[in-house]
Amino acid sequence: MANQESTFLNSEADQWYQRNKDVLAAKTMDSDPVTQFLLTSDVRPKRVLEIGCCNGYRLEILRKQFGCEAHGIDPSNMAITDGQKLFPKIHLTQGTANALPGADQDYDLIIFGFLLYLCDRRDLFKIAMEADRVLQDRGRILLFDFYTTSNYKNTYGHLDDIYSFKMQNS
């Protein structure tokens, strides 16, 4: 069985980005549920980290809207390279949620953007530990993922030896 993290770092994240690049290019503040939520909440980030940021399109929206410093991490080298060209004012890093960029208590907002369902279950505690490490006291975590009332596992639609894990995250 393949390791989910290495599969995404080595190939599948780039393939996912290629499959979804046109859809992502059309995203706007009005069409992004995370941005819409933040605009209606009391959260006003100063330093934000998005885990699973793709090319950083959402971070650029947040940077412009809130004047915040924006950082992102994604396993797709293609997405990060494109994002660095498209959005030079945000900070993008290739990597995974297992090893987050930043010092201890570096961010006041962390966004998990549609990625936990693809993380190996054995990595969840390390991912939570890393998020806790870089999140400031009284910082916020925004989790944007599939909603389900029960936990289940199924084969990922693009690779037979990778799984998608839907879980009740509350």
Side-chain angles (χ1 to χ4, degrees), residues 19-69:
R19 288 191 301 269
N20 293 282
K21 192 174 180 177
D22 293 338
V23 172
L24 297 169
K27 294 278 186 180
T28 65
M29 183 169 56
D30 294 335
S31 69
D32 181 50
V34 171
T35 305
Q36 287 303 302
F37 170 79
L38 289 171
L39 289 173
T40 61
S41 76
D42 65 344
V43 177
R44 295 297 176 259
K46 291 180 178 63
R47 284 180 57 89
V48 61
L49 171 65
E50 183 175 11
I51 304 165
C53 70
C54 199
N55 67 358
Y57 72 90
R58 178 180 293 128
L59 288 167
E60 179 65 4
I61 293 170
L62 296 177
R63 185 192 68 75
K64 287 179 177 177
Q65 184 66 36
F66 297 111
C68 61
E69 189 174 319

Side-chain angles (χ1 to χ4, degrees), residues 8 16 24 27 32-35 38 48-59 62 71-75 95-97 100 109-119 127 131 140-146 169:
F8 277 86
W16 184 97
L24 297 169
K27 294 278 186 180
D32 181 50
V34 171
T35 305
L38 289 171
V48 61
L49 171 65
E50 183 175 11
I51 304 165
C53 70
C54 199
N55 67 358
Y57 72 90
R58 178 180 293 128
L59 288 167
L62 296 177
H71 299 257
I73 186 168
D74 195 275
T96 66
L100 297 177
L109 175 63
I110 295 175
I111 300 168
F112 282 93
F114 254 98
L115 72 112
L116 290 176
Y117 77 99
L118 292 172
C119 295
I127 291 166
R140 308 272 181 101
I141 292 178
L142 196 157
L143 175 63
F144 184 61
D145 213 308
F146 289 102
N169 288 302

